[in-house]
Amino acid sequence: MAETGILVVDDEKEIADLVEIYLVSDGYKVYKASSAADGLDILSKEKIHLVLLDIMMPGMDGLTMCRKIRETNNIPIIMLSAKSTDLDKIKGLGNGADDYVTKPFNPLELTARVKAQLRRYTQLNPQSTAENTGGEISLHGLTINRENHRVTVYGEEVKLTPIEFDILYLLASNPGRVFSTDEIFEQVWHEKVYEANNTVMVHIRRLRGKMKEDTRKNKIITTVWGVGYKIEK
């Protein structure tokens, strides 16, 4: 199997070196960049499967780089930042990140999050991916193919990140059922929710934007106010 490439973009050399040590020990091929410009250059030349991206950098910041990556690429992006407020997390997720880790962080927790994102991205367990519907769901103009991660809305292909895909697939594979934000978080991220956060809402908002929900009267994803989200049968 080809090596899994991870790009670490951080202008703090000590942090980048520390992350590299842990990732290399887990068998990943690590590329490092101290600026967004260098990171984008590496991304254009090498096979990268995941990006660890610092937000606060001189020149182009991490949020801008994240948006640029999302113009052409749906690989997982984990933001690294010393800012830990909900607003900062929402900004990171709203710009296209899949996860957000605050500094200082436990390297073992970071590598666990890397593994979780890569499992979602590479689909290392294809035997279980199509257990409900043979891999494809079609309803309300939406078609989702679990095996090739292809999504179309009224015939137009929609490019989704792994997190966005898993949220949409969860709702579509359980039509009519309302999922609270906590349920979505626990089933998609496979983590318990210990405090209120807006992570799911930010991803739903981004997902709706990509599906052009604002231009349609009949929405695919329905908000059940005070309860959660669903896709009708």
Side-chain angles (χ1 to χ4, degrees):
M1 182 177 177
E3 283 185 298
T4 299
I6 298 180
L7 173 61
V8 180
V9 186
D10 198 314
D11 64 326
E12 295 185 65
K13 185 177 184 301
E14 296 79 6
I15 291 179
D17 289 346
L18 176 65
V19 171
E20 179 184 27
I21 289 170
Y22 278 85
L23 292 176
V24 168
S25 69
D26 279 342
Y28 300 116
K29 183 175 180 63
V30 177
Y31 301 85
K32 293 187 295 183
S34 58
S35 70
D38 289 344
L40 290 171
D41 184 56
I42 292 173
L43 195 60
S44 70
K45 296 175 179 176
E46 306 292 344
K47 181 61 175 175
I48 303 297
H49 299 83
L50 180 144
V51 178
L52 290 168
L53 178 57
D54 183 33
I55 290 182
M56 301 291 288
M57 293 186 293
M60 184 190 301
D61 64 18
L63 296 176
T64 304
M65 180 178 176
C66 185
R67 289 196 299 271
K68 285 187 172 294
I69 294 173
R70 283 289 173 251
E71 290 173 2
T72 58
N73 206 315
N74 287 318
I75 58 174
I77 299 173
I78 301 177
M79 286 289 197
L80 306 176
S81 177
K83 296 183 176 182
S84 60
T85 68
D86 283 344
L87 181 59
D88 293 313
K89 293 179 181 179
I90 290 170
K91 281 184 179 179
L93 297 170
N95 277 275
D98 296 287
D99 203 353
Y100 188 106
V101 177
T102 56
K103 299 177 182 179
F105 51 79
N106 182 327
L108 294 177
E109 178 190 351
L110 180 63
T111 55
R113 288 176 180 266
V114 165
K115 290 174 183 177
Q117 291 295 336
L118 286 171
R119 277 197 303 272
R120 181 172 285 115
Y121 180 63
T122 57
Q123 295 293 293
L124 293 179
N125 187 21
Q127 291 85 356
S128 65
T129 60
E131 56 189 359
N132 290 331
T133 60
E136 186 163 290
I137 298 171
S138 295
L139 71 171
H140 306 300
L142 169 69
T143 300
I144 310 175
N145 189 297
R146 183 69 171 177
E147 294 179 338
N148 60 22
H149 269 218
R150 188 170 186 266
V151 174
T152 60
V153 177
Y154 294 105
E156 181 180 348
E157 187 167 359
V158 180
K159 299 292 186 182
L160 302 180
T161 67
I163 287 283
E164 292 163 354
F165 183 93
D166 282 356
I167 291 173
L168 186 62
Y169 192 84
L170 173 66
L171 297 177
S173 59
N174 296 275
R177 177 182 168 183
V178 181
F179 286 86
S180 69
T181 54
D182 285 359
E183 286 179 309
I184 293 172
F185 186 89
E186 290 176 4
Q187 293 206 38
V188 172
W189 277 262
H190 304 293
E191 296 178 21
K192 284 288 185 182
V193 179
Y194 293 106
E195 60 182 23
N197 67 66
N198 297 303
T199 301
V200 171
M201 286 185 286
V202 173
H203 283 286
I204 292 272
R205 188 184 310 136
R206 231 171 55 202
L207 181 55
R208 281 173 160 164
K210 289 185 176 182
M211 294 166 62
K212 300 179 181 177
E213 290 274 75
D214 58 331
T215 65
R216 282 189 295 274
K217 182 178 179 181
N218 297 319
K219 312 298 185 187
I220 294 174
I221 300 176
T222 303
T223 300
V224 181
W225 296 106
V227 184
Y229 302 96
K230 68 175 179 176
I231 292 179
E232 298 286 2
K233 290 184 179 179

